[in-house]
Amino acid sequence: MSVEAERADDIAPSDADDEARRQPLGERVRGAFGALRTLGFSSLTRRIVVLNLVGLVVLVSGILFLNQFRAGLIDARVQSLLIQGEIIAGAIASSATVETNQLYVDPNKLLELQLGQTAAPGDDQLQSLEFPINPERVAPVLRRLVTPTRTRARIYDRDGELLLDSRSLYARGDILRFDLPPPHRELGVLERVGKTLKSYLRRTDLPLYPELGAANGRGYPEVSKAMAGSPESIVRVNDVGEIIVSVAVPIQRFRAVTGVLLLSTQGGDIDAIVSAERLAIMRVFLVAAVVMLVLSLLLASTIAGPVRKLADGAERVRHRMSHRAEIPDFTSRTDEIGHLSGALRDMTNALYARIEGIERFAADVAHELKNPLTSLRSAVETMPLAKSDESRARLLGVIEHDVRRLDRLISDISDASRLDAELQRQDAEPVDIVKLLTTVIDMQNGAPRSNGVTINLSIADAAQGNDAYLVIGHDSRLAQVVTNLIDNARSFSPAGSIVKVTCRRTKKFVDIMVDDTGPGIRPDAMEKIFERFYTDRPEQGFGQNSGLGLSISKQIVDAHNGRISAENRTRDGDPEVVKGARFTVRLPAALA
């Protein structure tokens, strides 16, 4: 292998590392979120965690951006510099003069004096008394007073010329010393993000601090104002965004301004304190974020986990109709998850019950239809073998009977199969039971009957008004229940008898009782009479009834949250003597 190839192999990994470092930050963030998704967090879990963290981030961002700590720190720093400046200015003024026994008078004014005139301190022709600042005497005082405070101090004379600078202890005629800036280096990704965040959080409404160096100090507005005898403070930012507080205090002796003391904070002093405070806030934020993340995951595990199990259970119910699949039971919980689990379990049980009911209904229908079809087939096959007209007439009668029976069965089966769908589609409304019974009984009495049985209606307490007999339901289906019960009672009652219908109001229910004077109900058939296709009419012969009338009535009453029952009426004092049968329908009243 050549030397160039070896060098290329040595350089390739570093190039790959550089390429990875140059990958955009957005792609790295998206990759991190993709890695989180691979941990198995559900969508609900991610939403809970993200929403909680967003609220915390907004709170911390508001604290970092809008807190008053920095403003209070700046005000305190200004007051501290003012007090410090007055103390230092007083010390400088007391040791500022070169010789206390010498007065400096303008020579031009002395030439203008007339013969015999003298220059007195109060004379208007005297220009002024000067107490110049001696840098050699002031420098040690300034160094001792300023060094512990890490404050930059500059002294300007009355003309604005720089006399001393604590950064270099510059004196007139000496060389000014400046510190070189640190060498430039490339900032990393985190450093650039931190710098951008700091620049965003810093105030941008402050003026820029100019570094005048040895130039005239009157370029600082606070120095110019201090020349007039009053202290002044200004808050600025330097070119890197660091806060600098400047305070100018006049140096006075006998109320004469001999110079100005300019105190200023080092760049970054206040920012370092603010940054430390924000760093403490960020530490608290990280701890709170970890705690919130753990609590969010715990909360999500109590919500997303059970919801996922319920969804899996529902999927099993959908795909496994051949055998019963159970929905997880969380009904021990008293929250919405527990209510949802109970509702899904009830719905699943109702679904399985409906499926089993449909299967039983289909089996019963097949059995009931098979009997007349078998009879028809036998009659049709026997018809060619009949040799006499009497035999053929008897076979035709059997065929006609079976056809009527099939027609009746198909009509009742169709009515029973449509019943549930109609009850679900139609909206329940208030139904006046007294009015409904009156209408149905009038129609029953108006239709001629061969046995002459009549129906009598009795309202137990008519003084309560019709509102007491209101129920919520479907009037047409409730009328069908009453019609079926009356038809059943008339079919068992002897000729010329009376079927009694009674309506009464109890505490929370409306009761409808239908009494006949027939033979009653056999004890072993008391529960069977409401089953589909069950009939017990030995005197009428086989196949005269479909056996669906009472079953349909029970189905309608159950759909109205009511109850239908049957019992035998007995003679008072002799329970063995049956006076007839009684069917009772109990429906919830609309006005309890």
Side-chain angles (χ1 to χ4, degrees):
M1 181 181 293
S2 63
V3 178
E4 289 78 1
E6 293 179 357
R7 293 182 61 187
D9 292 339
D10 294 338
I11 296 175
S14 61
D15 292 341
D17 295 338
D18 294 339
E19 183 67 23
R21 285 192 295 269
R22 287 195 296 270
Q23 187 179 8
L25 181 60
E27 295 183 4
R28 296 183 184 180
V29 174
R30 285 192 294 270
F33 278 107
L36 285 179
R37 281 195 291 269
T38 60
L39 294 177
F41 290 168
S42 65
S43 176
L44 184 60
T45 302
R46 289 197 300 269
R47 291 180 185 178
I48 292 175
V49 172
V50 170
L51 289 178
N52 287 336
L53 289 180
V54 165
L56 183 60
V57 168
V58 171
L59 177 61
V60 173
S61 300
I63 293 175
L64 294 177
F65 186 74
L66 299 176
N67 66 25
Q68 301 298 319
F69 176 74
R70 181 174 57 181
L73 185 62
I74 292 175
D75 293 339
R77 190 62 166 160
V78 169
Q79 295 298 324
S80 174
L81 287 180
L82 283 174
I83 296 174
Q84 181 182 349
E86 292 176 355
I87 294 175
I88 296 176
I92 292 173
S94 62
S95 61
T97 56
V98 178
E99 294 181 4
T100 56
N101 58 353
Q102 293 182 359
L103 294 179
Y104 292 87
V105 183
D106 188 356
N108 295 326
K109 292 296 183 180
L110 293 176
L111 296 175
E112 295 176 359
L113 294 177
Q114 299 297 327
L115 183 63
Q117 288 184 341
T118 61
D123 199 310
D124 293 338
Q125 294 180 358
L126 182 63
Q127 181 189 23
S128 63
L129 295 176
E130 292 186 359
F131 300 92
I133 298 174
N134 187 347
E136 295 178 357
R137 299 183 61 181
V138 170
V141 177
L142 185 65
R143 184 185 302 109
R144 288 194 299 271
L145 294 177
V146 173
T147 300
T149 63
R150 297 188 71 253
T151 304
R152 182 183 180 184
R154 282 165 286 184
I155 299 177
Y156 296 93
D157 60 12
R158 293 188 58 181
D159 297 327
E161 295 296 329
L162 180 62
L163 299 179
L164 284 174
D165 189 343
S166 63
R167 177 177 294 178
S168 56
L169 286 180
Y170 164 80
R172 190 174 292 167
D174 295 336
I175 299 176
L176 188 62
R177 176 178 60 85
F178 291 100
D179 296 330
L180 294 176
H184 178 72
R185 65 181 182 89
E186 187 70 21
L187 296 179
V189 176
L190 295 179
E191 292 177 333
R192 290 198 299 269
V193 173
K195 184 177 180 181
T196 303
L197 182 61
K198 288 181 180 179
S199 62
Y200 176 74
L201 294 175
R202 285 173 179 147
R203 294 175 57 182
T204 58
D205 56 344
L206 298 177
L208 184 65
Y209 171 77
E211 180 58 54
L212 299 182
N216 194 292
R218 292 183 179 272
Y220 294 117
E222 61 272 30
V223 173
S224 298
K225 191 168 183 179
M227 292 292 185
S230 59
E232 180 65 15
S233 64
I234 294 182
V235 181
R236 301 185 183 91
V237 292
N238 57 14
D239 53 354
V240 294
E242 297 173 339
I243 297 176
I244 295 179
V245 179
S246 299
V247 172
V249 179
I251 301 174
Q252 296 177 329
R253 185 175 178 82
F254 300 118
R255 297 186 180 181
V257 177
T258 60
V260 172
L261 171 65
L262 178 62
L263 296 178
S264 59
T265 59
Q266 300 290 338
D269 286 354
I270 296 178
D271 296 275
I273 300 175
V274 175
S275 297
E277 182 71 17
R278 286 174 176 163
L279 183 59
I281 295 175
M282 291 303 297
R283 292 195 187 99
V284 175
F285 162 73
L286 292 178
V287 174
V290 171
V291 173
M292 185 169 291
L293 179 61
V294 173
L295 295 180
S296 299
L297 293 177
L298 291 177
L299 175 63
S301 66
T302 62
I303 297 177
V307 169
R308 181 183 298 175
K309 292 180 180 179
L310 292 175
D312 293 340
E315 288 292 331
R316 290 193 299 270
V317 171
R318 185 170 67 91
H319 293 292
R320 300 179 184 177
M321 286 300 182
S322 59
H323 61 279
R324 183 182 290 267
E326 291 293 334
I327 297 292
D329 187 7
F330 297 108
T331 53
S332 59
R333 297 176 51 163
T334 58
D335 55 4
E336 287 76 6
I337 300 296
H339 296 327
L340 178 61
S341 174
L344 287 177
R345 290 175 62 85
D346 294 340
M347 182 186 68
T348 304
N349 294 332
L351 177 61
Y352 282 124
R354 174 63 62 85
I355 293 174
E356 294 172 356
I358 291 174
E359 292 175 351
R360 290 195 303 269
F361 182 74
D364 294 341
V365 168
H367 175 73
E368 292 299 324
L369 290 178
K370 187 175 182 180
N371 290 334
L373 288 175
T374 302
S375 178
L376 275 173
R377 180 180 180 182
S378 298
V380 171
E381 291 177 351
T382 308
M383 181 68 71
L385 303 177
K387 298 180 180 180
S388 62
D389 294 338
E390 182 180 356
S391 298
R392 285 193 291 272
R394 188 168 59 254
L395 290 174
L396 288 174
V398 172
I399 293 173
E400 183 181 359
H401 175 270
D402 290 337
V403 169
R404 287 197 303 270
R405 183 183 175 190
L406 282 174
D407 180 69
R408 185 168 53 252
L409 279 173
I410 292 173
S411 298
D412 291 344
I413 290 170
S414 176
D415 187 26
S417 62
R418 293 196 311 266
L419 182 60
D420 284 342
E422 292 181 0
L423 291 176
Q424 293 295 329
R425 285 195 302 264
Q426 297 175 359
D427 294 332
E429 297 177 351
V431 179
D432 188 349
I433 296 298
V434 174
K435 183 178 179 180
L436 183 143
L437 292 175
T438 302
T439 302
V440 171
I441 291 174
D442 289 344
M443 293 178 60
Q444 290 283 337
N445 288 328
R449 297 282 178 165
S450 59
N451 59 359
V453 177
T454 58
I455 297 92
N456 184 22
L457 175 62
S458 174
I459 306 300
D461 191 0
Q464 293 187 19
N466 293 339
D467 291 343
Y469 296 93
L470 291 178
V471 298
I472 303 298
H474 307 276
D475 53 356
S476 61
R477 290 301 179 179
L478 292 176
Q480 182 180 359
V481 172
V482 177
T483 301
N484 289 344
L485 294 179
I486 291 176
D487 289 341
N488 183 74
R490 294 179 77 167
S491 64
F492 284 99
S493 296
S497 61
I498 298 175
V499 173
K500 184 178 180 181
V501 178
T502 305
C503 182
R504 68 182 181 184
R505 169 66 189 269
T506 58
K507 291 183 179 180
K508 296 182 180 180
F509 301 95
V510 175
D511 293 340
I512 303 172
M513 294 174 291
V514 180
D515 299 339
D516 63 33
T517 55
I521 306 171
R522 291 187 293 111
D524 59 336
M526 196 68 69
E527 296 297 331
K528 296 180 181 179
I529 58 177
F530 294 108
E531 295 179 0
R532 281 192 297 268
F533 304 110
Y534 179 82
T535 180
D536 186 12
R537 300 172 185 269
E539 72 284 355
Q540 294 184 2
F542 179 74
Q544 298 296 325
N545 291 277
S546 64
L548 288 174
L550 292 179
S551 175
I552 291 175
S553 299
K554 185 177 186 305
Q555 189 176 359
I556 295 173
V557 174
D558 291 342
H560 286 77
N561 298 321
R563 183 173 61 88
I564 185 171
S565 60
E567 61 182 347
N568 287 326
R569 296 187 300 113
T570 59
R571 182 180 297 175
D572 295 339
D574 191 358
E576 299 296 330
V577 179
V578 178
K579 298 171 55 177
R582 169 178 291 174
F583 286 85
T584 303
V585 176
R586 170 164 287 186
L587 299 171
L591 302 176

